[in-house]
Amino acid sequence: MKKPDAQKNGLRILIVRISAIGDVLHVTSVVHNLRRLLPDAEITWLASPPASLLLETNPDIDRLLVWDRRPMDEASTHFDLRGCWHELKKARALLKPYTFDIALDLQGLFLTGILTRLSGAKRRIGIHERHEGNPFFMTEMAPDIQDPHKIRRYYTALAPLGFGPETFEPGPVLVLPETLSGFAPQFWAAHGIDTARPILMVCVRTTWPDKNWPPAYFGEALAAVPEDVQIVFSGAKGDAPYIEEARQALKANHPGRASLSIAGETTLLELAALLKSADLLFTGDTGPLYIAEAVGTKTLSLWGPTMPEIYGPLTEGHEFLRSPYECVACCKTRCEKKTNGCMKALKPEMAAEALQSFFAH
């Protein structure tokens, strides 16, 4: 996809960040700065669904190339070398028509290293992140820094282009298409939600098992929310059982308290439109947290195996609840102790107090 006015006379730059939702939104902040600092550059982004959907109307890129990494991941899981080769050929064919002066690999994987090499860019700049053999494909590496936050570490890729940390301005970018301009009011009206009253959206699941807060804890915490606040649970279709557990806990702690589940009813961009119309998102560390930040919605988020100092929103309007547990910030997708102790140590009353404070203003 190329924008009609994409003719530029500056550097031809490829951004390689194919997934995931939160990380892609993190990188939009870097690309926004790149566009601000090099307005004449032609910027192309290689991304994979579903995160690529968030880039379709991004004003800072001239071209979006969509390569679905999921078949590649499936082939890799089954050691299907022929399948892997087939998917890489698709990526090569996608990149072949274009010439790039510079490729910025802002993911740091072995796979993205291959994709960056396939771009044909003479300068291929990598970052000090996960490595996994990634530097083998780079012509140069960005400087390492002490700052742990992912966005600022991604931003180091601009250092070889002459831009240091003092030029960085935070803020992810997500522009909704015009087709969704009236979506939120219509959706809420169809579901009995009054937009004149506060809307609290809740996301109870994350993609990492050990980042998940017990669903019943959500219900207990939400029981403290004022009556005029409308509680809406969002998520994928598969999240429905966990949402129902949270709703049952809410009813048990506050009999008669109404809530709504819209699990599986929206696309990513439709969810973004709904979040933009909400007053607050209550969530763990997951993609919707960063979608909410990008559309300007305030958030209250829960942190255990990950840290807001590494992943959290850098803009204002976001409150973090950190686990008091002794074992935290392991950054593991699954708890090695098999207890999920860090998330369980975040008690419902801690979140209840924060929610009451927010809606008391």
Side-chain angles (χ1 to χ4, degrees):
M1 180 186 73
K2 185 175 182 179
K3 299 175 184 178
D5 60 346
Q7 299 300 321
K8 307 282 185 178
N9 296 317
L11 290 170
R12 295 163 295 187
I13 301 175
L14 174 67
I15 305 297
V16 180
R17 177 77 218 194
I18 55 178
S19 58
I21 291 170
D23 293 297
V24 164
L25 285 172
H26 279 162
V27 171
T28 62
S29 181
V30 177
V31 174
H32 180 67
N33 280 273
L34 179 63
R35 169 59 69 211
R36 178 176 59 84
L37 297 166
L38 294 176
D40 292 328
E42 181 180 86
I43 302 175
T44 300
W45 191 323
L46 178 65
S48 171
S52 59
L53 296 173
L54 302 176
L55 302 173
E56 290 180 348
T57 53
N58 188 296
D60 298 316
I61 62 177
D62 301 299
R63 183 185 297 111
L64 175 63
L65 300 179
V66 180
W67 177 74
D68 195 338
R69 70 170 290 176
R70 291 170 293 190
M72 179 71 177
D73 291 342
E74 180 70 14
S76 299
T77 300
H78 294 91
F79 301 99
D80 179 4
L81 297 182
R82 180 175 294 181
C84 290
W85 177 246
H86 178 70
E87 296 306 322
L88 288 174
K89 285 176 64 177
K90 287 183 182 179
R92 176 65 182 121
L94 185 65
L95 292 162
K96 189 174 182 179
Y98 310 107
T99 300
F100 303 107
D101 301 304
I102 300 169
L104 305 179
D105 186 339
L106 301 183
Q107 194 148 359
L109 304 177
F110 186 81
L111 173 59
T112 55
I114 294 174
L115 295 171
T116 303
R117 180 65 182 85
L118 290 176
S119 73
K122 292 183 179 180
R123 291 186 71 185
R124 301 183 298 278
I125 302 172
I127 53 174
H128 286 268
E129 280 297 298
R130 297 172 64 182
H131 295 311
E132 298 182 3
N134 180 270
F136 176 77
F137 301 98
M138 301 299 119
T139 60
E140 53 195 299
M141 297 297 292
D144 199 3
I145 59 173
Q146 293 298 313
D147 194 312
H149 201 285
K150 290 290 184 180
I151 297 177
R152 294 194 182 97
R153 296 185 69 81
Y154 296 152
Y155 195 72
T156 60
L158 302 193
L161 306 184
F163 305 112
E166 70 282 355
T167 62
F168 175 67
E169 295 179 3
V173 176
L174 175 56
V175 177
L176 299 178
E178 292 184 6
T179 53
L180 289 178
S181 59
F183 174 78
Q186 295 174 6
F187 184 94
W188 291 137
H191 288 75
I193 297 296
D194 181 0
T195 54
R197 292 167 52 201
I199 300 173
L200 167 60
M201 293 187 67
V202 183
C203 183
V204 305
R205 299 297 287 176
T206 76
T207 53
W208 289 17
D210 68 343
K211 288 195 295 186
N212 289 325
W213 208 35
Y217 281 18
F218 277 98
E220 293 177 42
L222 291 167
V225 173
E227 289 284 355
D228 67 322
V229 178
Q230 301 163 106
I231 300 172
V232 180
F233 292 91
S234 64
K237 187 176 180 180
D239 297 336
Y242 306 100
I243 291 174
E244 185 57 29
E245 185 178 344
R247 295 178 74 193
Q248 290 301 320
L250 172 58
K251 288 182 180 180
N253 286 273
H254 191 154
R257 186 65 161 94
S259 65
L260 171 69
S261 173
I262 58 170
E265 294 189 28
T266 64
T267 65
L268 271 181
L269 290 177
E270 289 171 346
L271 174 62
L274 295 179
L275 284 168
K276 188 174 183 178
S277 69
D279 294 86
L280 180 72
L281 172 67
F282 178 32
T283 181
D285 173 21
T286 190
L289 170 63
Y290 307 104
I291 294 175
E293 181 194 12
V295 298
T297 299
K298 296 179 179 180
T299 67
L300 172 65
S301 53
L302 306 159
W303 299 81
T306 54
M307 298 172 61
E309 291 81 5
I310 298 176
Y311 299 99
L314 290 175
T315 52
E316 295 181 356
H318 308 282
E319 184 175 352
F320 311 124
L321 293 180
R322 297 172 174 83
S323 174
Y325 198 60
E326 59 181 6
C327 177
V328 292
C330 66
C331 292
K332 302 290 185 182
T333 58
R334 293 185 181 274
C335 178
E336 292 183 346
K337 296 183 178 181
K338 299 181 180 180
T339 62
N340 241 30
C342 62
M343 293 304 293
K344 291 177 181 177
L346 275 166
K347 298 304 181 183
E349 52 265 28
M350 299 169 64
E353 182 178 352
L355 290 167
Q356 285 178 320
S357 176
F358 179 86
F359 288 106
H361 296 159

